[in-house]
Amino acid sequence: RETEEIRDKVVLVGLNSPVLKKDENADEETMEELAALVSTAGAETIGMVMQNRPSPDPRTFIGEGKVEEVKVFCQANHASMVIFDNDLSPSQMRVLTEMLGVQVLDRCGLILDIFAQRAKTKEGRLQVELAQYKYLLPRLTGMWTHLERQAGTSGKGPIGSKGPGETQLETDRRHIHRKIDKLREDLEDVRRVRSTQRQQRLKNEIPVVAIVGYTNAGKSTLLNKLTGAGIPANNRLFDTLDTTSRLLTVSDTLDVVISDTVGFIRKLPHQLVEAFKATLEELEYADLLLHVIDVSNPEWKLQAQVVESLILELGIDNIDEHIRSLEKYLRSKIADLHLPVVQAKDEKHWGGMICVYYPPQREDDVVRILESHKIYGTMRGGYIRFGLEFYNTMEQMDIVSAALHEIDALAH
């Protein structure tokens, strides 16, 4: 097998802070995943630095002392790049680049770079380019801050410095806005072509199965096994980016189109989710979503939750309908509970939530019951919150129901 040239020696940095949301924090698992992404991008991870702070530093994100520690490590080990597991603001990225003396990226920028390398089809390249420009646009100000600071807006800057920074910044902004508009037009053409193809499939009554799953879960391997597609299926993240569809003859009277879609990952840049809607909207028109889960991965439950949540974020109607039907089923199972049950909405849980109140004085017993049934809920202020998209079969709802009945018995 042909080996890829190592492009950069990379130091990974992650921040864990109580003020950040869970999916914004860095931990050992997300840092290991970031190292795998670095490998996919063709670089080498030579060190990891974790920082715990009460809150991120507005200027340097990790604090000047920790920045100096990272700088010394980079110089001693000849690192050429530092990549953060957290999202950085444009100004933080600029300050860190100046202080560290090497290129600085965040997780979002790294994933965009990988997608740019992997996109092969015209559609894939259009979608990645759109995502890259949307990522770049808010960072232009940081790139030109030194010129803006010279000129300012009051006209009191040095003679001859009025305008250059602003002029270049505005020129770049207009150029990128024009590029974004053009890419959106091109992607709309892609949507129209896909719509025509869908109409033809509907006319021919050919069912469509869309394979979904976490990146590197085995989607391409499954497609190859089922259809002999022969697409590359290497053991690395985002090895397959462009959608591949193949016809599977199930019987003399039944043909099925099976599509392998782009993989999901936690902290997936929202620019990519938005840009790839032209591809991912195919999921909405599929007759069946086949979710591939790699249960050999210790993080498989979390990975499955990430996939389900992102599918819901894309607004796939049949998934919403599925969640609603499961909610209705669960409510019928717990209708006899004495404990109050309420419906809640939470922006982090696209399928809505069920909140069940419990006797606070029996909290230890409640935790024991939940753990014995291997189900998870957020306990806060005397109630348990269950994100319904995380329990997506009737069998799982039966388990939740059994646990809630045990908790109900504690109070009566």
Side-chain angles (χ1 to χ4, degrees):
R1 179 171 169 244
E2 188 178 335
T3 58
E4 293 185 358
E5 181 183 351
I6 299 296
R7 298 191 300 164
D8 289 289
K9 289 186 175 182
V10 179
V11 176
L12 307 184
V13 180
L15 174 69
N16 189 289
S17 171
V19 302
L20 296 176
K21 297 177 182 177
K22 184 178 179 181
D23 60 353
E24 294 174 341
N25 267 316
D27 56 33
E28 186 177 339
E29 287 76 22
T30 62
M31 291 288 279
E32 289 294 336
E33 188 172 80
L34 185 63
L37 287 168
V38 168
S39 178
T40 295
E44 176 189 6
T45 298
I46 60 172
M48 295 186 186
V49 178
M50 278 294 297
Q51 168 74 317
N52 294 297
R53 284 178 61 93
S55 63
D57 181 77
R59 183 168 179 268
T60 64
F61 195 68
I62 55 174
E64 292 194 12
K66 186 61 73 171
V67 172
E68 185 61 30
E69 179 185 322
V70 174
K71 180 178 180 180
V72 170
F73 184 89
C74 288
Q75 291 173 342
N77 294 276
H78 307 289
S80 56
M81 182 179 293
V82 172
I83 300 179
F84 280 72
D85 193 36
N86 317 79
D87 285 339
L88 298 174
S89 70
S91 61
Q92 287 169 341
M93 195 173 293
R94 179 181 56 80
V95 167
L96 286 165
T97 299
E98 291 174 356
M99 293 180 70
L100 292 171
V102 297
Q103 185 180 356
V104 175
L105 275 181
D106 57 13
R107 186 185 181 100
C108 179
L110 174 62
I111 292 175
L112 287 171
D113 182 72
I114 292 169
F115 271 54
Q117 290 181 46
R118 297 280 173 227
K120 297 292 187 286
T121 65
K122 178 184 176 182
E123 176 185 349
R125 289 194 295 268
L126 284 173
Q127 291 174 125
V128 172
E129 193 176 354
L130 175 60
Q132 287 178 315
Y133 276 120
K134 292 177 73 174
Y135 177 77
L136 176 62
L137 191 58
R139 285 160 176 77
L140 287 176
T141 303
M143 292 164 60
W144 290 102
T145 296
H146 61 294
L147 289 175
E148 287 182 330
R149 190 164 55 240
Q150 284 180 354
T153 55
S154 62
K156 296 180 180 178
I159 293 174
S161 67
K162 175 64 178 173
E166 292 178 350
T167 301
Q168 185 61 57
L169 177 60
E170 291 305 317
T171 300
D172 287 352
R173 278 180 176 157
R174 283 195 299 272
H175 173 70
I176 289 179
H177 276 299
R178 283 196 298 269
K179 289 289 293 183
I180 287 174
D181 290 342
K182 179 64 168 63
L183 287 165
R184 282 176 171 158
E185 289 176 10
D186 292 343
L187 283 171
E188 195 56 43
D189 292 338
V190 170
R191 279 197 172 98
R192 281 193 286 270
V193 171
R194 285 190 173 275
S195 177
T196 302
Q197 292 171 341
R198 279 196 299 270
Q199 292 299 323
Q200 189 60 43
R201 288 200 299 262
L202 288 172
K203 184 179 178 181
N204 296 334
E205 297 183 342
I206 301 176
V208 176
V209 176
I211 303 175
V212 299
Y214 208 77
T215 180
N216 204 34
K219 299 182 298 299
S220 298
T221 301
L222 178 62
L223 183 66
N224 286 340
K225 190 72 174 177
L226 290 173
T227 67
I231 58 176
N234 299 306
N235 183 24
R236 61 183 175 187
L237 306 184
F238 294 120
D239 190 59
T240 305
L241 183 57
D242 297 306
T243 299
T244 302
S245 297
R246 293 291 186 271
L247 193 68
L248 173 66
T249 300
V250 180
S251 68
D252 293 340
T253 58
L254 178 61
D255 287 333
V256 176
V257 172
I258 302 184
S259 295
D260 174 23
T261 58
V262 63
F264 295 120
I265 196 169
R266 72 188 102 185
K267 303 182 184 180
L268 187 66
H270 67 88
Q271 294 97 337
L272 275 177
V273 175
E274 180 66 28
F276 270 73
K277 278 190 174 178
T279 296
L280 295 173
E281 72 177 5
E282 285 291 292
L283 303 182
E284 186 171 358
Y285 297 96
D287 297 281
L288 173 69
L289 298 185
L290 182 57
H291 186 177
V292 177
I293 301 173
D294 177 11
V295 294
S296 68
N297 190 311
E299 295 275 293
W300 72 266
K301 286 186 178 179
L302 176 61
Q303 291 181 353
Q305 291 173 6
V306 168
V307 173
E308 297 287 349
S309 297
L310 283 168
I311 288 175
L312 288 164
E313 182 179 344
L314 289 165
I316 309 301
D317 292 338
N318 54 349
I319 298 293
D320 286 329
E321 186 178 334
H322 175 63
I323 293 293
R324 285 193 294 270
S325 67
L326 287 176
E327 178 189 347
K328 187 176 180 180
Y329 176 76
L330 177 60
R331 284 185 174 278
S332 71
K333 299 285 288 187
I334 62 175
D336 58 338
L337 289 184
H338 297 90
L339 296 172
V341 179
V342 298
Q343 172 72 26
K345 284 288 182 184
D346 188 310
E347 63 180 7
K348 292 181 292 183
H349 296 273
W350 295 86
M353 307 184 81
I354 287 286
C355 297
V356 181
Y357 289 83
Y358 65 90
Q361 66 274 19
R362 305 296 297 274
E363 184 163 312
D364 289 343
D365 294 316
V366 172
V367 171
R368 176 183 53 77
I369 291 170
L370 292 176
E371 288 179 347
S372 68
H373 287 276
K374 296 182 179 179
I375 61 173
Y376 306 94
T378 302
M379 300 178 65
R380 187 180 302 162
Y383 62 86
I384 316 163
R385 305 195 303 176
F386 295 97
L388 296 182
E389 72 272 25
F390 296 161
Y391 303 94
N392 47 37
T393 67
M394 287 188 176
E395 290 79 8
Q396 288 174 322
M397 289 300 185
D398 287 338
I399 295 172
V400 172
S401 170
L404 292 179
H405 277 90
E406 288 186 34
I407 293 169
D408 191 55
L410 293 175
H412 300 85

